[in-house]
Amino acid sequence: MKALIPAAGLGTRFLPATKAQPKEMLLVVDRPVIQYIVEEGLASAADEVVIINSREKKSIEEHFSPNPELVATLRERGKDAYADIVEQVGNYNVSYVYQDEPLGLGHAIRCAHENTGGEPFYVLLGDVLVPDNKMLPRMQEVSDAHNGASVIAVMPVPDDHVSRFGIIAGAAETDDVWKVDSLVEKPALADAPSNLAVFGRYLLSPRVMELLADVEPGVGGEIQLTDALDAVLNEEEMYALVIDPADGFDTGTVESWLETNNVLFRRASEQKK
Ligand code: G1P
């Protein structure tokens, strides 16, 4: 089973910081943000992470490549703890496919169709951080309890944020699990069926990957993953895990990025005490 991480976006909201450096390589406390996402993927049931990259973002691949010269230099200087970390990151099981045109999230995911091998797969969006790595295992449990159905993470958002997200319609099955009836990408508040927003973590059936081949451009002229999820509901069940705002951090804007850094830095400092 694979964990897919789309990373081919332009990082427009972070310009000028992202002019020469991918957004995924920006620092959160002590490592580039994509390292948290890769580590979360590898901590799940996935055996490999597939990064859907653009050909301009080679520094992402360099970050996850072995660097024996650097490791040797660090060891010569007695800096073994750093050498160990560099070695570990260079050995993560990460591979790459390329999205050569910016046609949307659904298109990015479809670029990895040969990698998923007709199996269920995870999708992890890089603008959401889940530092305790517990969300994907919990989603897997919900899926296992419902015959392998797709499961998406959702979070309640205030009215003025609804139009920034994919929004679900459905009914609560338990305190934190909803059965999904439909999804709509970035609705106007008046058209939003709930305030439960899709929050960057998906466990998807192989049928979603097949349907993505035929999804027409939607909101923003882009091929939307949300539209494939809505389409698969004609054939299969889907569930939503309602996550606690304390479990996931939005890093999609400069403001939320800085706030995430502050919270995680404080947490790391507390743990060191
Ligand atoms: C994407 C998805 C959207 C989801 C959001 C946050 O939108 O299309 O459904 O709610 O991520 O996970 P984007 O932020 O890429 O526009």
Side-chain angles (χ1 to χ4, degrees):
M1 183 172 179
K2 308 297 174 204
L4 311 183
I5 303 180
L10 291 175
T12 320
R13 271 180 286 196
F14 286 79
L15 285 167
T18 49
K19 179 168 175 280
Q21 184 187 210
K23 185 178 96 176
E24 291 76 12
M25 292 300 293
L26 296 179
L27 187 71
V28 172
V29 185
D30 65 351
R31 66 196 81 168
V33 65
I34 195 164
Q35 190 179 324
Y36 291 87
I37 317 288
V38 165
E39 287 169 347
E40 184 191 348
L42 293 175
S44 75
D47 53 19
E48 186 188 40
V49 165
V50 180
I51 295 180
I52 301 148
N53 203 4
S54 95
R55 293 184 200 275
E56 277 74 54
K57 292 179 163 187
K58 289 292 175 201
S59 60
I60 295 178
E61 295 175 38
E62 280 162 24
H63 185 71
F64 294 108
S65 299
N67 188 337
E69 297 80 13
L70 177 58
V71 171
T73 305
L74 289 167
R75 294 214 188 279
E76 274 163 28
R77 295 183 183 177
K79 297 185 186 300
D80 284 304
Y82 284 121
D84 291 347
I85 293 171
V86 170
E87 223 162 25
Q88 183 187 329
V89 174
N91 287 331
Y92 285 155
N93 196 10
V94 181
S95 66
Y96 303 90
V97 296
Y98 297 95
Q99 185 189 23
D100 288 322
E101 294 169 285
L103 298 180
L105 176 60
H107 175 259
I109 299 305
R110 178 68 196 167
C111 289
H113 72 276
E114 285 179 7
N115 302 68
T116 52
E119 290 183 356
F121 56 98
Y122 295 112
V123 175
L124 292 76
L125 301 190
D127 50 12
V128 172
L129 272 193
V130 180
D132 70 5
N133 296 343
K134 289 193 179 139
M135 200 175 294
L136 298 179
R138 178 79 183 96
M139 291 165 68
Q140 187 73 56
E141 278 173 26
V142 175
S143 176
D144 291 346
H146 294 92
N147 299 316
S150 295
V151 179
I152 55 179
V154 297
M155 191 187 274
V157 295
D159 283 358
D160 57 336
H161 287 184
V162 154
S163 63
R164 275 178 41 195
F165 295 99
I167 301 289
I168 66 160
E173 223 190 42
T174 65
D175 280 353
D176 64 351
V177 176
W178 279 47
K179 185 165 188 297
V180 180
D181 292 333
S182 65
L183 296 100
V184 50
E185 180 68 10
K186 300 191 174 70
L189 178 58
D191 303 327
S194 75
N195 71 335
L196 288 177
V198 180
F199 200 66
R201 294 293 179 274
Y202 309 74
L203 167 53
L204 299 178
S205 84
R207 185 67 185 134
V208 175
M209 187 59 92
E210 289 173 13
L211 289 172
L212 274 171
D214 297 319
V215 171
E216 299 288 336
V219 172
E222 297 190 341
I223 296 170
Q224 298 288 354
L225 179 58
T226 301
D227 292 342
L229 300 184
D230 192 52
V232 87
L233 281 167
N234 294 324
E235 306 171 27
E236 297 179 352
E237 290 185 350
M238 185 183 302
Y239 292 84
L241 176 67
V242 184
I243 58 172
D244 189 298
D247 294 340
F249 294 88
D250 175 21
T251 55
T253 63
V254 172
E255 195 187 2
S256 62
W257 185 280
L258 293 172
E259 180 58 19
T260 299
N261 261 292
N262 279 333
V263 173
L264 293 184
F265 179 69
R266 258 184 268 125
R267 259 192 212 178
S269 310
E270 294 290 318
Q271 276 166 6
K272 272 190 199 150
K273 276 184 198 162

